[in-house]
Amino acid sequence: MPEKPYDPQTIELKWQERWLQDPDLYKPLEDLSRPKFYVLEMLPYPSGTLHIGHVRNYAIGDALARYKWMRGFSVLHPMGWDAFGLPAENAAIANKRDPYEWTMSNIENMKRQHRRMGFSYDWSREIATCQPDYYRWNQWFFLKMLEKGLAYRKKALVNWCPECGTVLANEQVVNGCCWRHDGVSVEQRDLEQWFLRITAYADELLNDIGNLEGHWPERVLTMQRNWIGRSEGAEVDFTLEGTETRIRVFTTRIDTIYGATAVILAPGHPVTAGLLDDNGKAVAKGMIDSLASKGPGDIEKEGFFTGHYAMNPFNGAMVPIWVGNFVLMGYGTGAIMAVPGHDERDFEFCKQYGIAIAPVIWPESGDEPAVPFLEYGVLHDSGEYSGLASEEARRVMAAKAKADGFGKAAITYRLKDWGISRQRYWGTPIPVMHCPNDGIVPVPESDLPVVLPLGIEITGKGRSPLVHVPEFMNVKCPKCGGDARRESDTMDTFVDSSWYFYRYCDAHNSTAPFDSAKIAYWFPIDQYIGGVEHAILHLIYSRFWTKMMRDLGLITNDEPTTRLFTQGMVIKEGAKMSKSKGNIVSADSMIEKYGADVGRVFELFAAPPEKEMDWTDAGAEGSMRFLGRVYRFVTRNADQVRLNQGELTDADRKVLRKLHQTLRKITEDFESRWHFNTSIAAIMELVNELYAQESNLSGTVLTEVLEKLVLMIEPFAPYLAEEMWEEMGRKGPVFKQPWPAFDPELAREAEADVVIQVNGKVRGRISVGFGADKEHLREKALAEPKVQPFLDGKKVLTVIVVPDKLVNIVVK
RNA sequence: GGCGAAGUGGCGGAACUGGCAGACGCACCAGACUCAAAAUCUGGCGAAGUUCACUCUUCGUGUGGGUUCGACCCCCACCUUCGCCACCA
């Protein structure tokens, strides 16, 4: 049969059309009689076009899903469609379209693009988290949390992005700036906001990291540990001189308390208001403002004496009360005891302002410590505790504080409760109302969902536009029947992404967020694939949400996903691909130029998937050449009617060996490493070998080679595989064929190639049968002519033999 | 400043458990085919030296030390790059 030229566009269009006519053919990768496998990838926004950065993420997951399916797993392989708010909102405004409708039409567009890329996910699972249907369940969860005290409203200093015109959670502030707006400093505002009590799960979130060890990337776990930031210590009350007012401080080193020479308050600490005159208040305010405007790292320590003193409850000492800009209101109690003898920051501050320095911990050696002495040691000048070791003193003194009612052992977290209020139009409305008589009243469950009013003017700036919509805002209180106002805040869109993958399992359920039995079958997710940028955002929120749902009795798994894989970004010409840089390559233009298969293969071939990958057009050309070589070889040999069906030739044996070695390598790569770049390299080697041996191959071997080659390449280049399968006269679809097994016997080399080294340098090599004994190898090596010059006149000290691998002769 | 990861040809990257460094591809060079070009096929391609030639030798995985018969791989110190956190008491 004459070979055919490789024309990816024609091939791919043909199969797209066929698959469109028979959507079932490409859809239900779910079969409950099989073992389960759930792959999930995160998708950013539906508002833009699919670009090659997304394609790579999906190609990684899609190749895996296809492999698993062929191995007999029932695969649920959805790709997330979170309608994150702002981009969709802005796009809708710009296009004067209804936002719901706009988002849904974007999703249709995304579906088309995914289909063109040949991704094999379950279409029936699609959800958009912006739909009223999804709002209902967000609101339902919110009410449950409200009932359990896991959702609450309080006035607090919160992060405000002037560009977004909304509040942000701590996790969404990056280097003091909004995560969406590089270089826009976040302001601190004192506002009434809704919070979810994620800190109730701080300990569990931290401890369970141990269970993820080995299955999640280490750096993600480290980031989560740091973010949760547990520290064990004690709280102690210092009493304001001449009053009963207590100032509570948090310390991890209660053993150093006899060395406390000051109490330092954060500028925003509530007690400061009572202590300071107008001038002092102004200075404190100035500190807060200047802190907000400065980036981290370039803040100089500053402070001033309040003129007041406080009493150390352990020894009755009166110490001055200062205000210091380095004390954070948001951590611990917002007040510290300054122990300059044993803390670097306190030392720096006290030295600067001439505050006394009193060392009270001495090293084990008994030498006087050089201040600041930061290690544990033995207590000195500490009253009845003198002579105790630091570790013991920490316990004993915390117990004493508790017994005498002026403190206790305490644990502090860096993690704060999750502020979910947003002053945006776009997002799930928080389902409560404010009644003058009854206060905060939840919307009755039967009235859910509270949906957003449509067709309103959206400015994208300032307060939520909902405030100006009377039909939305004015309601009757369900308790007293009087006039009430709706909550105008909407939920953070990270609420949506915290559980959307659960909804995928039962996307059209109208009586519950999902059927627990379905979740029990699919969860936890076997494999999650997403960007590392979500390490302390989405990936911590979704862990929290899972534990919360478990405690509501809806699910039984403790973690959302067993394994996490963080893929590397796609960059172009050394720069991260982004719309603002204008360097994105859209999937459409890539398909037009090279075809979807070429794009997929190149993105997997260029670098291992966890690494960054540089997109170059030249590289894509290379993958195009490779797929062309495959296609031409298969088409010109597809009839495979050859004579010499009898004895296998040398070429046959060689090719068979290579085939099974390749198959073994790819199978192993899929099972463990996911280094698809080496998988594809192995197929390239096989194809090179096929070209070299082509004229000498017999028909039977050719048949086996073609079949397995097509099956092997299917997860990477599905359209090409389908087309070649048809050329060979086989019935498709290829991805429903079982994954071929390799034969270890055929994969084995005929003879072992044993390297002979002299003093660790390669001097020759011999071929011997496998399993040759050590003595035999030793003799053969010593007799090898090529090594003789290196043994000449030298004494053989020892010979190290590694069977089937190498012989190292050590001489002097 | 703290924690973590990484440094291999002109480039992307291989080398999986301490055992042949540079698989595979890109770029480049040469040859075949062609009137010619493209496409395709074949060969070459770390550096220096060496042979008429098949070859062979030495050096070579950021730098300096160490462990080992043997180190890209393990240990110590340093340099560089990237990532995260950054006064967390």
Side-chain angles (χ1 to χ4, degrees):
Chain A
M1 205 185 273
E3 69 178 33
K4 295 186 182 177
Y6 177 48
D7 176 4
Q9 280 78 14
T10 309
I11 291 173
E12 291 173 14
L13 277 174
K14 167 180 156 188
W15 286 98
Q16 272 165 32
E17 265 170 40
R18 285 208 199 169
W19 286 337
L20 276 173
Q21 281 164 18
D22 183 7
D24 279 347
L25 190 73
Y26 204 37
K27 184 178 69 179
L29 297 187
E30 177 185 342
D31 173 355
L32 299 189
S33 65
R34 297 176 158 210
K36 75 185 171 77
F37 201 87
Y38 189 163
V39 187
L40 188 129
E41 299 127 281
M42 289 214 44
L43 174 72
Y45 318 111
S47 53
T49 50
L50 189 67
H51 68 69
I52 60 171
H54 307 151
V55 169
R56 182 157 190 254
N57 301 356
Y58 298 156
I60 293 164
D62 193 53
L64 182 76
R66 286 169 182 278
Y67 170 77
K68 285 289 175 186
W69 175 251
M70 290 165 86
R71 286 302 300 263
F73 284 81
S74 166
V75 179
L76 183 59
H77 172 31
M79 297 168 187
W81 277 319
D82 297 290
F84 284 120
L86 215 53
E89 184 181 339
N90 289 342
I93 294 161
N95 291 281
K96 298 212 182 313
R97 293 274 297 276
D98 178 279
Y100 290 128
E101 186 204 320
W102 172 255
T103 305
M104 294 315 287
S105 74
N106 272 317
I107 282 175
E108 284 307 311
N109 188 37
M110 280 311 251
K111 268 164 77 169
R112 191 184 54 79
Q113 291 185 327
H114 277 110
R115 207 177 289 239
R116 287 191 69 187
M117 286 309 303
F119 294 130
S120 59
Y121 70 99
D122 185 339
W123 298 105
S124 68
R125 302 294 170 196
E126 71 205 35
I127 60 162
T129 56
C130 66
Q131 293 172 108
D133 177 45
Y134 197 75
Y135 284 176
R136 174 199 300 267
W137 302 113
N138 274 343
Q139 290 165 350
W140 186 84
F141 279 121
F142 181 88
L143 293 180
K144 294 283 175 209
M145 283 190 270
L146 195 61
E147 218 176 285
K148 303 255 178 210
L150 288 172
Y152 65 92
R153 183 177 155 96
K154 74 166 184 198
K155 196 166 196 287
L157 270 183
V158 290
N159 312 297
W160 176 272
C161 172
E163 195 62 36
C164 296
T166 186
V167 164
L168 299 173
N170 295 339
E171 289 80 3
Q172 293 154 18
V173 178
V174 180
N175 283 333
C177 296
C178 171
W179 67 300
R180 280 195 199 293
H181 297 103
D182 263 357
V184 176
S185 283
V186 167
E187 298 165 13
Q188 297 296 305
R189 292 201 181 178
D190 205 15
L191 295 169
E192 287 250 0
Q193 297 289 302
W194 285 97
F195 291 87
L196 297 185
R197 206 179 295 280
I198 191 170
T199 52
Y201 289 93
D203 256 327
E204 201 192 336
L205 288 169
L206 184 69
N207 292 336
D208 287 359
I209 286 176
N211 302 334
L212 303 174
E213 206 97 45
H215 308 291
W216 280 39
E218 194 51 46
R219 63 177 173 151
V220 172
L221 298 181
T222 307
M223 282 161 77
Q224 292 212 353
R225 275 195 200 99
N226 291 342
W227 188 259
I228 295 169
R230 177 189 153 104
S231 57
E232 257 178 74
E235 291 176 355
V236 181
D237 294 335
F238 282 62
T239 312
L240 181 61
E241 185 184 27
T243 71
E244 292 294 305
T245 306
R246 291 173 165 208
I247 301 171
R248 177 156 281 207
V249 304
F250 175 77
T251 177
T252 52
R253 295 294 304 274
I254 194 174
D255 56 307
T256 66
I257 199 165
Y258 280 76
T261 54
V263 164
I264 308 178
L265 305 175
H269 194 283
V271 169
T272 55
L275 297 183
L276 300 180
D277 55 20
D278 287 349
N279 182 42
K281 283 178 190 163
V283 176
K285 172 92 172 55
M287 278 182 179
I288 295 173
D289 292 346
S290 117
L291 284 176
S293 66
K294 276 181 191 154
D298 45 35
I299 295 163
E300 300 245 320
K301 283 195 178 51
E302 266 176 54
F304 61 91
F305 179 43
T306 61
H308 297 267
Y309 290 81
M311 190 191 72
N312 181 335
F314 273 90
N315 59 6
M318 283 297 171
V319 296
I321 303 174
W322 285 66
V323 171
N325 66 345
F326 70 101
V327 180
L328 306 171
M329 194 55 231
Y331 185 77
T333 62
I336 63 160
M337 61 176 197
V339 185
H342 304 288
D343 183 283
E344 202 145 29
R345 296 150 305 179
D346 296 349
F347 178 78
E348 198 186 314
F349 186 81
C350 292
K351 213 172 154 198
Q352 186 179 335
Y353 288 105
I355 300 168
I357 296 170
V360 293
I361 307 287
W362 287 35
E364 300 272 347
S365 65
D367 300 333
E368 187 164 348
V371 286
F373 176 68
L374 307 176
E375 275 126 72
Y376 281 177
V378 179
L379 276 69
H380 263 241
D381 302 323
S382 298
E384 58 190 283
Y385 306 100
S386 297
L388 284 183
S390 292
E391 291 90 336
E392 199 190 344
R394 288 180 67 200
R395 277 197 306 278
V396 173
M397 294 170 87
K400 165 78 174 168
K402 181 159 192 204
D404 288 9
F406 59 77
K408 60 174 184 190
I411 294 163
T412 295
Y413 298 92
R414 192 185 172 285
L415 180 73
K416 291 277 155 308
D417 277 338
W418 176 14
I420 58 156
S421 281
R422 295 292 178 273
Q423 290 72 43
R424 281 185 182 129
Y425 165 74
W426 199 243
T428 308
I430 293 176
V432 300
M433 42 191 106
H434 301 274
C435 171
N437 299 322
D438 300 305
I440 291 173
V441 181
V443 172
E445 209 179 302
S446 55
D447 291 353
L448 299 185
V450 177
V451 295
L452 293 169
L454 297 178
I456 66 169
E457 190 68 25
I458 297 166
T459 60
K461 294 262 160 99
R463 289 196 67 189
S464 166
L466 294 176
V467 176
H468 309 297
V469 184
E471 312 86 274
F472 179 79
M473 292 300 290
N474 298 329
V475 283
K476 294 288 179 204
C477 171
K479 275 194 182 162
C480 67
D483 287 340
R485 279 175 73 75
R486 268 195 206 288
E487 173 61 64
S488 64
D489 284 352
T490 53
M491 293 183 203
D492 184 1
T493 50
F494 278 96
V495 168
D496 301 332
S497 58
S498 292
W499 68 283
Y500 72 112
F501 37 88
Y502 287 93
R503 183 74 178 168
Y504 275 129
C505 296
D506 199 8
H508 306 296
N509 192 326
S510 58
T511 58
F514 42 71
D515 174 355
S516 297
K518 292 189 178 168
I519 302 303
Y521 174 78
W522 284 108
F523 271 73
I525 295 169
D526 298 282
Q527 185 65 61
Y528 202 77
I529 301 171
V532 73
E533 67 273 16
H534 284 110
I536 50 172
L537 282 159
H538 169 62
L539 292 173
I540 219 161
Y541 294 145
S542 57
R543 290 185 63 215
F544 155 69
W545 204 274
T546 293
K547 291 172 191 301
M548 179 274 290
M549 292 196 299
R550 178 203 58 198
D551 289 349
L552 289 179
L554 295 172
I555 59 174
T556 53
N557 51 301
D558 293 323
E559 292 289 342
T561 88
T562 309
R563 280 194 304 280
L564 170 70
F565 184 87
T566 49
Q567 88 284 355
M569 278 181 315
V570 177
I571 56 179
K572 188 166 188 234
E573 281 131 30
K576 181 181 166 181
M577 214 177 270
S578 77
K579 265 191 201 158
S580 56
K581 293 202 178 84
N583 63 350
I584 59 164
V585 178
S586 80
D588 281 346
S589 71
M590 181 184 75
I591 291 170
E592 207 176 307
K593 205 164 169 193
Y594 306 107
D597 285 338
V598 173
R600 293 173 56 130
V601 165
F602 176 59
E603 296 200 58
L604 295 173
F605 175 65
E610 70 275 13
K611 248 182 116 154
E612 281 191 345
M613 171 252 165
D614 200 3
W615 173 271
T616 65
D617 284 5
E621 300 281 354
S623 296
M624 178 93 160
R625 270 200 286 274
F626 162 62
L627 292 184
R629 268 166 80 81
V630 174
Y631 184 69
R632 288 191 302 274
F633 183 88
V634 171
T635 49
R636 70 178 172 250
N637 290 292
D639 51 0
Q640 34 86 18
V641 181
R642 295 283 179 106
L643 301 173
N644 64 330
Q645 298 274 337
E647 281 286 288
L648 288 186
T649 63
D650 279 355
D652 286 337
R653 271 191 288 272
K654 236 174 165 170
V655 163
L656 266 184
R657 186 182 310 138
K658 190 77 186 170
L659 175 71
H660 284 266
Q661 285 172 347
T662 307
L663 193 47
R664 178 176 61 194
K665 169 147 189 57
I666 292 171
T667 306
E668 284 168 0
D669 277 349
F670 265 118
E671 290 299 322
S672 57
R673 295 204 312 165
W674 290 22
H675 278 197
F676 303 128
N677 54 331
T678 60
S679 306
I680 292 169
I683 301 178
M684 288 173 171
E685 282 186 63
L686 172 65
V687 172
N688 291 346
E689 184 75 20
L690 291 177
Y691 268 68
Q693 306 293 346
E694 187 169 4
S695 53
N696 304 318
L697 290 180
S698 67
T700 36
V701 168
L702 210 41
T703 309
E704 179 178 350
V705 164
L706 292 191
E707 178 191 299
K708 290 187 170 143
L709 175 64
V710 169
L711 293 174
M712 267 194 281
I713 218 167
E714 203 280 338
F716 311 110
Y719 287 117
L720 176 66
E722 215 63 66
E723 177 72 7
M724 294 191 300
W725 199 245
E726 193 179 69
E727 292 279 352
M728 288 156 58
R730 306 288 297 263
K731 279 251 186 291
V734 181
F735 66 80
K736 290 198 174 175
Q737 301 298 318
W739 183 256
F742 63 87
D743 181 339
E745 277 306 305
L746 287 174
R748 220 176 60 177
E749 292 289 345
E751 296 223 297
D753 196 18
V754 174
V755 171
I756 303 170
Q757 298 180 334
V758 177
N759 287 344
K761 291 198 171 170
V762 181
R763 298 301 181 189
R765 58 194 63 220
I766 48 176
S767 265
V768 294
F770 276 98
D773 66 53
K774 285 193 172 193
E775 196 48 41
H776 176 71
L777 280 173
R778 182 191 142 96
E779 272 163 30
K780 274 204 112 166
L782 286 169
E784 173 67 18
K786 276 196 172 169
V787 307
Q788 292 315 314
F790 300 97
L791 303 181
D792 215 26
K794 301 206 172 124
K795 200 179 156 201
V796 176
L797 294 178
T798 176
V799 179
I800 289 159
V801 182
V802 183
D804 298 342
K805 272 197 164 163
L806 107 175
V807 178
N808 189 11
I809 304 166
V810 186
V811 298
K812 193 171 183 183

